[in-house]
Structures are given as C-alpha cells and as structure tokens.
Amino acid sequence: MKRKVILFIALSLSLGACSGTIAPQKNDKVNNSDSGAIDFDSLPENDYVPSASSIEPLGTFNLFENSNSGTISYLGTFEWEACENADKYTLEFCSHPNFIADNDAIDYYIEDNIHATRWNFTGCLPINNTNYYWRVIAYNASGYKYSNQVNTFFYAAPEVEEVEFDIGEADDWTLHSVGSYADIYIDNSNFFHNNKESLVVSFKEEDVNQGKPLSDGWVIVTRTVEKNTNGTDALSFNMYYSGKDANIFVRVIDRDNEFWHCPVQISNNAKQEVFLKFSDFTQRTGDVTVANMEFDYDRIKYMEIVFERSFGDGILLLSDVKAVKYENYKDRFIDKLDFTSYSEDQWTYEAYNFDTTKTEDELTLKFNRNGQGYGFAKINVNQYFISKGDSIKMSVKYTGKTGSNVILRIYEEDMDRWSYKIPYSSLEYDTYKELVIPYAAFASSSIMGDGRRQFSKIINIQFGLEGNYGSTEEESSVSFKDFEIVQKKEHGQQEYRYIDESGLIDNFNNYDYSAQLFMSWETSYKNKDEYMQLNSIQKVGGNSNPYSGQFEYKCDMEPAIYTLPMKAKEGVTYQEFSSFKIWMKDASVKTEDPRYSHVEKYSAETLIKIILDTDEEYVYDLGNIERVWTEYDIPFGLFTLDNYDYLPHVPNPITIAHIVSVGFQFKYFYYDIFGKPTPLYIANNPVYVDNIYFSDYSSSEEIKKTVKEKVIKMDGDIALVDDFESYSSTDDLEYYWLNGTTMDYTAKELSSIVSSEGENHSMALQYKGNNSSPNYYISPAYDQSVKGKGIRVSLYSDVEATVYVNLYVTIGTSTIQYRATLTGRTNWAEYTVGFNNFSVVSGSARTLTQNDVVNISKISFGVVYFKSSTDYSIHNLYVDNLMFDASLAYGDLSVRDIDVR
C-alpha cells in the first residue's frame, strides 16, 4: 500500500477523528473498526472469485451507479462489475477529476490489491462540501484497464455538535525545539472537577530568561489533532494559569495547512472556562503555508499552546479541549446585557434602597439622598464577556439632584474589582449620553487577585453613584441603557490625529470623559501600571482649561510608554516648526521606608520620542522632571537618533510632514544608600501632561524651561497661599482659582472690599440662599519645605452663612478629603483652624499632619445659607490672607474680629 507522509512545520499529536473513528489519511487504507486497523476477517464475502493469473485480454467493466453517488455524508461501499480475466483491482478516489497525488490542497486516496468487486470505507474526509471522483483499475499479467467511467459524489460532511480533543499521554505532547524549556506532564487529580485529566506545562524563570532573544519568553507545546469539526464554530477548554505575566495563544492548522491563532485572556490564579470563536482567529503568514487564506476550521489537523513574553515562573493546566457550537453555550456570555434575564435573587443593593425599574435594555435607579452619599445595584452574572471585545458601550443619564460621579464597577473572577467614574459634569440633564469605555480605562477599586484587567469571567456588574451627600425629598435617578461589549476600533478609536495648523498636538480639552484617552493614545504594557485619565484639578490656566492628562507608571520596572499616532493635514502649509513643547508636572510617590530617607529626587525620568514615517526614532532625555508645572521647549536639533544602526538609509531630519507619532516614557528606580538598585514597585505614580505643541523655538544649544504655576514657599512659620494682591483683574484671578460646580449662581471676582489687615484686594465668592453649595478651589504647587499644623484665613459674609474649608491630600492616585466647618460672620474675622479640627469626608481615615501640606492637591471653599426659608437671594463670601501656619498647635481653633478698612 502506498503511504504519503505529511511533514508539519511544528511538532504534533494525534487525537482521533469523526464519530469516534480515525479519519482516513491520504493514500491510507480506511478501516471499519474503532482500533484504526482493518479487520480482514470481518470483511464480507464477495460474489466474484478471480481466476488464476491470466494473460488473456481484460474485458470492459462499469461502476455501479448507486455506489457512493449523489450527495453523501458518510462513505459506504464502493462497488463495480467484475472485469473478465482480472486478477485484482485498484480503487482511487480524489477531490480533483485528474486524480492528482502529492498535493496538500487535494485529497487523493488509493487502495491496491483488492481481490473483490467492492470495498468498504468509514470515517470522514478532510474536505467538506466538495465533489469527489472515483474509478477502478483492473489488473492481470497482460496489463491493466480502467473502468468505463469515473463516478462522482458530493461530500457533505456530517455536522457535529461537539468534538473532543483527548489530552492523551505526556509523550504525545512535544516541546518546540526553538522555544524555551518546560516540563510537560499529565495531572490525574480531577483538578477541574470534570472527571478528566489535565495537561500540565510548567516552566521556571531560569529557563525562559537566559538572555537568548530567539527563545526567551517563548514556550510552545504541540500535537496533531486530525479532527472533523464540521458544524462547530468555537474552541472550548478549561484552563488555569499561575505565575508571572504571560501572553497565551492557541494556534491550529486547518485542512489546507494554514496557521491560525487566537489570544487567550488570562485570569491569573483562577480556573477558567475559555471559549475562542473560530471567527476570532487570525492567520499567521510568515514562513508558513499559505493556501486559500480562509480558515477552513471544518477540519483541525494540529494544535499548539504558545506562551509569549513569559519571563518568569509559570504553570498551566489544560483540560477538556473540544470544538463546540458557540450557540450552545451563549448563555454563559454577555454580548448585550438584558437586565430582565436575571432573577431577583441575582440582584443585590448597597447603601441605597433603590426603586429599581428594569427593561430588557434599560436600568433606572431612583433614590432620595442619604447620609452615605453612594450606592450600587449589583447583578451577580457569573458570565463571560465575549472574547473579542475590548470595551463596554452604554448610555447614561441622570435626573434630579447631582452628585460627584456615576460609577460602573466590574468584579472579576480573581476577585479584582475595577471602577470607571463618569462625572455628573460630563452628562446632560435627563438626556442619554453614549459612552465607549475601553477595559484599559477602568481604574483599580479593590485588588484581591493579580491586579490585571482581564475582563473575562465576571462575577458581578455594579451600577451606582457617589457624592450624593445631604438629605432631600426630591427624587433623583440614574439610568443605564444599551450595555454591550464592543471593539473600540469599531466605535470611535482614532487611527491617528491631525496636527493642527497652530502646531497643537493635544491639550486634553477636546475630551468629554477619561475613557476617550484610550481611543487616541496608545499604551505599552511592559511597565504593568500604564493608566491614563483626565484630571480637572492638577491643571492651570483657569476654567477655560478644563483638563490636563494624568499618566501613571510603576517604579523599578521597564518604562511606561504613551504614544499618540498623528499625521500632517494634506494641503496645509505649516509654518517652520523647529521645536517640541510640552507642559509636565511630576507627582510621583516617595516611599515611606526610612531606608530611603537619603532620596531627595524621586520624580519620573522622562524621555520624549518622535517617530517619522521613514522609521527614524528621535529621542530627548528630560531626566527627572520638575514637581511644578513646567513648560519644556525642546529644539529638534537636541533630539538624537535612537535607531541609527538599524536604518537602511541616510537618516532624515525631523519635519512635520513626516512625523507619524510623538510620545513619552516614564520610569524611576530606587537605589539604597550604597547605590544598589532595590526594587519597591510602587504603583500609581502620576505625571501630569498638558499643552503639547510643535513650536518655533530655534535655539540649537539648550532646552527652554518655564515654570507655569503658583509655587507656595515658607517664610518663617508661614506659607502664604494667597493674599490676592498679585492679580490686577478678575481674569487674572480666574487663572488660578477655579469653579468646581456649574450652578447658575457660581461666580467669583477680585474685590476691593478688604479688612484693616488686608491691602487692596480680596476674593468675593457668590452663593445663593436655600441652595446647594458652590465650590471654588485653587491647586497650587508646593516647595518641598512647606509645612503647617493648621490654616489661617480672613472671612467676611453679608449673612451668617456656613462655610466649608476643604483640603484634598493626594498621594499617588489616592485622595483624602478633609473638611472644617466654620460659621461666617457679618464682619471681617480671622479664623485659626488647627488640623485636628478637619474631619475626613471621603477616603481612608487618616490623621492630617504638617508633612501632608506638600501633598495637598486642592484647597476649596463652599458656602450655604439655610437660616431663612424665604431667602433665595444672591450673597457673597469674601476671602483674604489664606495661609498655612507651622507655629500653631494641631488643636487650635479660634476666631478674631478684624476691623473693616
């Protein structure tokens, strides 16, 4: 019997065939038994007995027309007439009418030495929904003769619901010789409680991180499959991964030997049920077979588990691998959320007693305010987000009283909880706003697992709000509508940004909400703490500058890299830009470990990068950037070419027409007193960025640095925040003092109403009787020497209002709000308030000390007047001489009247 050997590019394993039997291989005999070998004793008797070897001429003979003709799903018996003087026969069938052998795209089968006029075949053929052709050749000593005709049948393979790929033995799985070493064995402990064995792949850091670029981080285990999967549309398996960060792919070879692969979302240290839709697989074309460029997943020949960029210890368990119909498992997935499909016992509520209204696509939470200020409605879904999505799309609206934020929280299988906050200020009253929120835009809310945004198996989805303090009988509501899993590239992701004629790249003022940053900017993942959000507090420029960008990194790791793809506008003649300008402010967190008290500079080490469409990568090293807003203007001539050795051509200079992206990277490493690197891995180190431009600064010798904000410094025991004497107009005042709310009575101005201890100006803050408090704030920078044990401030109000003084202490990305409540007087008075008189309003309970002053991100004033139920008038609170005082005792609290000037 002729046998054709198929050589795969990678190593392989056999897992069985259609209907429990082994599928026929090209040029192989096809069997009738489950064992894979032909049982000749079981073959039926034939009605033809060949004569002894004859040299007589062979007669003509025909194929029986009803033998394997028409449309069939299973091969049966091939039958033909006896040929006069024939000693034996050969049967051929093929997917090509010319019976072409030795072509992987064509199925060809041959069976020699048949001493009967029929032959039985079972099993499945590799190519479905195609015509096959068959013929018979008769032989004797005089030669051979073909049957009078060639018959044909259309093979429509049977559709299957599920096809299991047996795990097999450890020796069946082979480690790819090009990758890193790993141990492979079989676990029989029923780890997944499915009464099935598991494949185990285990590797150590010393094996996957040896300094070998071609193999480091790569572990590949392989096996052939040879399965008919016609009718299925997804691959399913149980998986558990524990170890350092890794990327895992499944790769398969289809029936015409093309490679197809799909990434697996990992929930570290969690048992997962993974479903990969065949439509989510993409083709690999480099150095491998390319045929029809279509995923012919009706037959899977081969399977690989691939670990990529796995540079530490790791262990994988894999079990119950099978091809399935995704439709049969769709109840395990969330594509578009149906709020009515969950029973009442799957809903739980936190803090508010919501009046909940649910329709198929809409959830409305009605409530009256309570003292806790926040609340959530939670759906315990225990489902998967569809594997191909990377974002959540939904619409949100509110009615009634506003709070701080509407919140969506996602609670993952590994106990990590992620939160996305939507400020009320970004929504319109009683009008739905559609949001697309990439998974990467969710901030950590509670990390109990591996701290990675998998968004795979979801325990519950939480809809809620925060910042609704106070009490009112007015009913308010928050509504969520059309919640679905999508891909951001199909819902607004920007391929690139056009460079503005003025040279503007990004000033972060054209975003409505933080998630949109992830639709424009690209992040790296090596630092493992890359995160972006809009910041409305740590920015300067008045209310006309609503946001700066907040970019985060983890210390003692590879750099966090942020890149903005861009493009020059066609037909626009740009001016001669000669420099790159950017505003930056560092807010990295210094460790409290006393071993590092010698560390004075702990700001991000920052690198600026410009990439051209001719592949040049130009960089400028800013070093440790300042902890106050500083404008850096960097001439193009100071950038150095970072990839000179890899360019196949003479380097091109930086020109606007050829820039395809700009970006920056942040890193910081801790060293002990002896200069030895000692990783601390502090996360959530923010760097604020704003006003990114191309400019015309033409110096080729030095960078230009300009401080862009008010910096508070110590003068003896006093650190003056503001005495309002440096402003010549209200416009000047509003560059630094901002509005935190947008009520119609929110207004402030530079005033000439001062006390006898004032000079020429105070600040007048407007409020309205029997209405909510406005919010006016300043966010200055502080010299590192600034300390204080309390504040002093002069106040004057035209009615005895209640005044709130708020201090926001921000360390990294965590903020604690402290509040002192004062009673305003109708005369000028100086209030002395030690820090012990400030109570925590939000954030973790923590005592406010003199060392916290340098971490105060915002000082705000609020004011209300409810003493007269008929007073809805506009009033003013006057503020002057705001300062921190280090000479106070923490418990000091006093009021001293001051004469009017």
Side-chain angles (χ1 to χ4, degrees):
M1 180 186 71
K2 297 178 182 178
R3 180 176 299 274
K4 183 177 179 182
V5 177
I6 301 174
L7 178 64
F8 290 136
I9 293 172
L11 306 172
S12 52
L13 118 100
S14 175
L15 295 180
C18 161
S19 305
T21 64
I22 297 177
Q25 302 297 305
K26 295 179 181 179
N27 298 350
D28 283 0
K29 289 184 178 180
V30 185
N31 65 77
N32 284 332
S33 70
D34 292 337
S35 67
I38 298 175
D39 183 0
F40 288 95
D41 294 333
S42 67
L43 293 178
E45 294 296 326
N46 290 287
D47 55 7
Y48 167 70
V49 179
S51 60
S53 181
S54 172
I55 60 172
E56 296 297 322
L58 292 164
T60 60
F61 67 103
N62 296 312
L63 308 178
F64 288 145
E65 291 185 3
N66 63 350
S67 175
N68 284 327
S69 60
T71 299
I72 63 174
S73 295
Y74 296 94
L75 290 180
T77 301
F78 292 91
E79 294 187 276
W80 57 90
E81 294 176 343
C83 175
E84 186 178 2
N85 299 320
D87 294 326
K88 59 184 179 180
Y89 299 94
T90 292
L91 169 66
E92 293 179 299
F93 64 95
C94 183
S95 61
H96 193 281
N98 294 336
F99 295 88
I100 297 173
D102 299 318
N103 185 326
D104 285 338
I106 297 172
D107 285 298
Y108 173 80
Y109 299 82
I110 184 170
E111 184 65 37
D112 293 324
N113 299 315
I114 302 174
H115 295 283
T117 57
R118 61 183 175 183
W119 192 258
N120 298 326
F121 284 83
T122 61
C124 304
L125 298 179
I127 303 181
N128 303 327
N129 300 319
T130 192
N131 285 310
Y132 275 82
Y133 305 86
W134 68 279
R135 66 188 180 187
V136 175
I137 310 168
Y139 292 89
N140 68 8
S142 68
Y144 64 89
K145 190 163 192 168
Y146 284 96
S147 56
N148 283 344
Q149 78 271 44
V150 173
N151 275 5
T152 185
F153 59 88
F154 184 80
Y155 181 68
E159 289 198 358
V160 292
E161 294 286 321
E162 289 190 0
V163 181
E164 185 172 356
F165 299 173
D166 299 327
I167 290 297
E169 302 296 330
D171 290 344
D172 295 329
W173 293 86
T174 311
L175 187 67
H176 200 293
S177 59
V178 175
S180 300
Y181 175 77
D183 288 319
I184 303 173
Y185 56 94
I186 300 298
D187 175 77
N188 293 306
S189 67
N190 196 22
F191 180 79
F192 292 99
H193 303 289
N194 56 7
N195 297 317
K196 294 182 180 180
E197 67 279 2
S198 301
L199 173 72
V200 182
V201 181
S202 176
F203 46 85
K204 300 291 185 182
E205 182 173 4
E206 57 263 30
D207 293 320
V208 297
N209 197 3
Q210 300 184 30
K212 300 177 180 179
L214 293 179
S215 62
D216 278 358
W218 291 86
V219 174
I220 306 172
V221 293
T222 68
R223 199 181 174 195
T224 54
V225 176
E226 293 296 350
K227 285 284 189 178
N228 173 57
T229 51
N230 188 50
T232 66
D233 59 6
L235 196 67
S236 166
F237 49 87
N238 294 125
M239 186 185 84
Y240 174 89
Y241 177 77
S242 178
K244 293 290 183 67
D245 288 348
N247 295 331
I248 298 178
F249 292 82
V250 170
R251 277 204 308 233
V252 299
I253 288 181
D254 65 6
R255 61 174 168 81
D256 57 358
N257 296 327
E258 292 180 319
F259 275 73
W260 297 82
H261 67 273
C262 186
V264 180
Q265 293 187 15
I266 306 170
S267 292
N268 208 349
N269 299 316
K271 295 180 181 180
Q272 299 177 248
E273 187 176 17
V274 178
F275 291 85
L276 305 178
K277 297 178 81 170
F278 289 144
S279 59
D280 292 340
F281 281 69
T282 56
Q283 186 176 13
R284 178 187 171 192
T285 57
D287 301 321
V288 294
T289 300
V290 176
N292 64 359
M293 301 191 74
E294 294 182 3
F295 189 9
D296 302 304
Y297 52 79
D298 52 358
R299 185 168 185 84
I300 303 298
K301 290 185 173 183
Y302 161 91
M303 177 180 175
E304 281 184 339
I305 306 299
V306 180
F307 297 84
E308 178 190 58
R309 297 191 60 80
S310 305
F311 294 118
D313 295 352
I315 185 170
L316 171 84
L317 282 84
L318 189 74
S319 181
D320 198 19
V321 184
K322 54 192 175 184
V324 300
K325 286 182 180 290
Y326 185 83
E327 179 74 14
N328 294 342
Y329 294 87
K330 68 178 183 179
D331 62 330
R332 303 188 192 185
F333 294 89
I334 297 173
D335 186 350
K336 184 170 183 179
L337 200 61
D338 179 352
F339 293 104
T340 62
S341 64
Y342 301 95
S343 61
E344 281 304 313
D345 60 4
Q346 290 178 272
W347 288 82
T348 57
Y349 300 91
E350 178 182 354
Y352 275 115
N353 183 20
F354 290 112
D355 178 6
T356 306
T357 303
K358 302 187 270 301
T359 65
E360 183 176 313
D361 60 358
E362 186 177 27
L363 170 68
T364 296
L365 306 175
K366 296 179 181 178
F367 59 94
N368 292 316
R369 292 189 184 190
N370 65 14
Q372 292 178 287
Y374 71 92
F376 292 93
K378 308 175 183 179
I379 316 175
N380 298 307
V381 295
N382 288 301
Q383 292 172 287
Y384 295 85
F385 282 166
I386 58 170
S387 61
K388 199 62 176 178
D390 61 12
S391 305
I392 293 171
K393 182 171 76 70
M394 67 176 182
S395 297
V396 181
K397 74 173 180 180
Y398 75 92
T399 64
K401 295 291 185 179
T402 65
S404 299
N405 300 294
V406 178
I407 304 178
L408 174 66
R409 294 200 302 206
I410 306 296
Y411 192 54
E412 293 180 318
E413 180 181 38
D414 66 352
M415 311 298 283
D416 285 342
R417 189 177 69 195
W418 302 94
S419 175
Y420 185 78
K421 297 182 178 182
I422 307 153
Y424 274 95
S425 59
S426 69
L427 302 173
E428 295 183 21
Y429 183 83
D430 202 21
T431 302
Y432 270 111
K433 180 171 186 175
E434 183 179 280
L435 308 172
V436 177
I437 311 169
Y439 297 159
F442 280 78
S444 59
S445 175
S446 175
I447 300 300
M448 303 294 289
D450 63 0
R452 297 184 66 192
R453 299 170 182 84
Q454 283 97 23
F455 283 64
S456 178
K457 177 67 175 292
I458 308 301
I459 300 302
N460 63 48
I461 304 173
Q462 305 178 9
F463 300 87
L465 65 152
E466 69 174 1
N468 283 71
Y469 293 98
S471 61
T472 178
E473 295 303 316
E474 180 181 353
E475 186 175 72
S476 303
S477 71
V478 176
S479 299
F480 304 84
K481 186 177 181 181
D482 296 332
F483 181 108
E484 62 179 312
I485 308 303
V486 299
Q487 293 186 62
K488 63 182 181 180
K489 67 181 181 181
E490 298 175 356
H491 289 84
Q493 182 182 18
Q494 293 185 347
E495 184 179 356
Y496 49 79
R497 174 170 297 180
Y498 283 116
I499 302 170
D500 188 78
E501 290 90 337
S502 66
L504 174 65
I505 299 169
D506 204 346
N507 60 9
F508 304 97
N509 293 342
N510 294 322
Y511 301 100
D512 293 324
Y513 53 97
S514 289
Q516 291 175 327
L517 285 169
F518 293 86
M519 308 294 277
S520 299
W521 287 82
E522 297 174 353
T523 65
S524 60
Y525 60 92
K526 295 179 182 179
N527 183 264
K528 309 187 190 313
D529 196 43
E530 292 87 345
Y531 187 70
M532 302 178 287
Q533 57 185 305
L534 297 174
N535 190 296
S536 61
I537 307 301
Q538 291 286 4
K539 46 99 178 173
V540 292
N543 291 307
S544 61
N545 177 28
Y547 298 116
S548 64
Q550 178 175 317
F551 297 80
E552 298 170 19
Y553 73 97
K554 181 184 288 185
C555 72
D556 305 306
M557 296 287 290
E558 293 186 60
I561 302 173
Y562 298 90
T563 305
L564 182 64
M566 61 179 48
K567 188 177 183 180
K569 293 180 180 179
E570 294 183 6
V572 173
T573 301
Y574 291 92
Q575 68 181 76
E576 292 297 323
F577 294 122
S578 56
S579 63
F580 175 82
K581 184 165 62 177
I582 187 170
W583 291 22
M584 285 188 168
K585 176 180 180 176
D586 185 88
S588 299
V589 182
K590 182 180 178 179
T591 177
E592 296 180 356
D593 191 323
R595 294 175 299 169
Y596 301 93
S597 59
H598 64 281
V599 174
E600 295 182 358
K601 282 195 171 183
Y602 51 93
S603 297
E605 299 171 23
T606 302
L607 192 78
I608 305 294
K609 178 175 283 191
I610 296 176
I611 299 178
L612 307 186
D613 57 8
T614 46
D615 296 329
E616 287 84 0
E617 297 181 5
Y618 284 95
V619 299
Y620 183 82
D621 189 351
L622 275 174
N624 295 97
I625 59 175
E626 303 296 332
R627 300 182 68 81
V628 298
W629 274 113
T630 302
E631 179 186 82
Y632 299 88
D633 205 343
I634 313 164
F636 289 162
L638 295 184
F639 283 80
T640 59
L641 189 60
D642 196 40
N643 63 336
Y644 181 89
D645 293 337
Y646 300 98
L647 288 177
H649 55 262
V650 176
N652 294 299
I654 299 175
T655 58
I656 297 301
H658 292 287
I659 293 175
V660 294
S661 71
V662 299
F664 36 79
Q665 66 180 42
F666 305 119
K667 67 177 181 179
Y668 182 79
F669 286 88
Y670 274 95
Y671 295 87
D672 65 18
I673 197 169
F674 302 106
K676 180 182 177 181
T678 50
L680 298 176
Y681 302 116
I682 299 172
N684 307 123
N685 290 287
V687 178
Y688 305 111
V689 179
D690 209 350
N691 299 327
I692 310 172
Y693 279 85
F694 291 119
S695 184
D696 57 0
Y697 177 52
S698 58
S699 171
S700 60
E701 298 178 357
E702 62 180 0
I703 182 175
K704 181 167 65 175
K705 300 180 182 179
T706 308
V707 174
K708 305 300 291 187
E709 69 175 321
K710 179 191 290 287
V711 181
I712 309 303
K713 297 183 178 181
M714 290 296 290
D715 183 5
D717 290 326
I718 299 299
L720 179 65
V721 176
D722 215 337
D723 60 6
F724 307 99
E725 301 305 320
S726 62
Y727 312 122
S728 60
S729 66
T730 296
D731 287 344
D732 289 346
L733 172 75
E734 290 188 332
Y735 185 84
Y736 295 105
W737 284 88
L738 306 174
N739 301 332
T741 56
T742 56
M743 291 89 140
D744 58 4
Y745 48 87
T746 296
K748 60 184 175 297
E749 66 177 6
L750 190 66
S751 172
S752 58
I753 298 176
V754 293
S755 72
S756 60
E757 296 181 1
E759 294 184 40
N760 298 312
H761 297 121
S762 67
M763 176 174 65
L765 305 178
Q766 190 168 281
Y767 61 100
K768 189 175 184 179
N770 288 292
N771 272 269
S772 298
S773 173
N775 181 278
Y776 304 97
Y777 70 92
I778 187 172
S779 296
Y782 297 86
D783 183 86
Q784 294 301 296
S785 65
V786 173
K787 295 184 183 298
K789 296 180 181 178
I791 68 164
R792 294 182 186 274
V793 63
S794 297
L795 302 176
Y796 160 56
S797 179
D798 51 9
V799 292
E800 293 184 351
T802 299
V803 179
Y804 304 114
V805 182
N806 300 286
L807 304 177
Y808 296 80
V809 174
T810 300
I811 302 176
T813 58
S814 299
T815 298
I816 305 171
Q817 179 185 355
Y818 299 86
R819 174 178 291 171
T821 302
L822 311 177
T823 300
R825 298 193 177 190
T826 56
N827 59 280
W828 277 106
E830 182 189 60
Y831 293 77
T832 300
V833 187
F835 281 162
N836 285 355
N837 298 290
F838 283 81
S839 58
V840 174
V841 174
S842 64
S844 60
R846 180 176 176 276
T847 302
L848 185 62
T849 72
Q850 62 177 349
N851 296 323
D852 289 321
V853 175
V854 294
N855 294 316
I856 293 177
S857 58
K858 180 170 71 170
I859 306 169
S860 76
F861 287 88
V863 56
V864 292
Y865 179 66
F866 290 107
K867 290 186 178 180
S868 172
S869 61
T870 60
D871 186 349
Y872 290 89
S873 303
I874 297 295
H875 300 284
N876 283 287
L877 172 72
Y878 298 89
V879 181
D880 205 354
N881 296 329
L882 172 63
M883 65 191 74
F884 293 102
D885 190 339
S887 69
L888 300 179
Y890 285 122
D892 283 354
L893 180 63
S894 63
V895 184
R896 178 175 62 86
D897 289 339
I898 309 173
D899 293 334
V900 176
R901 185 175 179 179

